């Protein structure tokens, strides 16, 4: 069975077994919170329950390595919608230990792309941005602090929004606060 078949079959089972108590909910984040975190698979079904955050309560923005790469990247764009359209009043950047981005290098990525037939000229177009993003990530904790500062210092983000920085343990669910956004 293909993965697509597995997923659509699981979906059929899911919707036919939805509890009668299930009801549609509002799209607005009930706890007025936006979380920026990593796409790491170990966080799926684990990060939110570990923080007591349920369905409908927060906007979750995921990227590889939870980094802000420029003043109008996808994280900033999503935060603008969160803050100015969806009522978000607080932001948490949540990195995690053993993040794959800490060991990734632009050279390895580029070699793998070339091996898959990606044209050198197309890689060259993004090489500076790729290198700045991948090769700057060495330590997940420092990266969280860096991302918090990038968001706080972005001129488009309202100054009265606390931006916290946390680090998550993907094996046991423990979280540590690196930056308390209430402290100015
Ligand atoms: Zn990661």
């Amino acid at each position: 069975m293909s993965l697509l078949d597995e997923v659509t079959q699981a979906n059929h089972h899911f919707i036919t077994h939805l509890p009668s108590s299930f009801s549609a909910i509002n799209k607005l984040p009930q706890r007025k919170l936006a979380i920026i975190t990593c796409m790491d698979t170990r966080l799926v079904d684990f990060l939110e329950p570990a923080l007591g955050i349920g369905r409908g309560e927060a906007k979750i923005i995921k990227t590889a390595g939870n980094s802000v790469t420029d003043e109008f990247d996808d994280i900033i764009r999503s935060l603008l919608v969160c803050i100015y359209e969806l009522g978000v009043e607080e932001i948490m950047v949540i990195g995690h230990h053993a993040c794959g981005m800490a060991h990734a290098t632009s050279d390895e990525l580029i070699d793998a792309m070339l091996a898959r037939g990606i044209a050198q000229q197309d890689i060259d177009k993004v090489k500076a941005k790729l290198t700045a993003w991948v090769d700057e990530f060495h330590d997940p904790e420092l990266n969280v602090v860096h991302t918090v500062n990038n968001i706080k210092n972005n001129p488009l983000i309202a100054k009265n929004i606390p931006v916290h920085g946390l680090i998550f343990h993907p094996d046991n669910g423990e979280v540590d606060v690196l930056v308390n956004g209430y402290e100015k």
Side-chain angles (χ1 to χ4, degrees):
M1 201 193 307
S2 72
L3 191 52
L4 183 60
D5 286 338
E6 285 176 20
V7 165
T8 51
Q9 213 170 79
N11 180 251
H12 180 72
H13 183 267
F14 180 84
I15 59 170
T16 50
H17 291 79
L18 215 49
S20 54
S21 59
F22 186 87
S23 61
I25 53 172
N26 195 294
K27 69 177 177 183
L28 299 176
Q30 298 305 307
R31 291 169 82 176
K32 302 182 190 302
L33 169 66
I35 291 175
I36 294 129
T37 190
C38 186
M39 66 180 190
D40 192 293
T41 46
R42 293 167 293 183
L43 274 51
V44 175
D45 253 357
F46 194 45
L47 176 70
E48 295 91 347
L51 300 174
I53 292 168
R55 182 171 181 264
E57 294 187 343
K59 295 291 170 192
I60 312 286
I61 304 161
K62 291 193 168 191
T63 67
N66 42 270
S67 304
V68 168
T69 50
D70 68 55
E71 286 207 327
F72 196 56
D73 76 353
D74 282 339
I75 287 182
I76 298 298
R77 291 174 197 213
S78 298
L79 286 176
L80 298 183
V81 177
C82 283
I83 295 166
Y84 302 114
E85 292 282 331
L86 301 170
V88 160
E89 293 178 357
E90 206 148 332
I91 296 168
M92 293 182 184
V93 177
I94 309 181
H96 67 96
H97 295 294
C99 185
M101 285 296 293
H103 306 293
T105 66
S106 59
D107 284 345
E108 274 176 14
L109 259 179
I110 289 169
D111 285 347
M113 290 162 82
L114 289 169
R116 295 285 292 271
I118 307 301
Q120 180 73 55
Q121 72 217 48
D122 292 320
I123 294 172
D124 289 343
K125 285 181 201 157
V126 298
K127 194 171 178 183
K129 284 184 175 181
L130 183 76
T131 305
W133 168 52
V134 179
D135 297 341
E136 286 303 305
F137 194 124
H138 301 293
D139 177 77
E141 296 194 21
L142 281 178
N143 182 66
V144 165
V145 175
H146 197 56
T147 302
V148 166
N149 288 333
N150 272 336
I151 294 169
K152 270 166 60 174
N153 296 331
N154 190 296
L156 304 175
I157 302 294
K159 291 294 165 221
N160 62 346
I161 305 263
V163 185
H164 311 286
L166 298 86
I167 190 94
F168 183 75
H169 204 304
D171 296 329
N172 64 14
E174 188 180 346
V175 76
D176 291 305
V177 177
L178 303 174
V179 181
N180 180 335
Y182 302 130
E183 294 167 359
K184 291 293 163 197

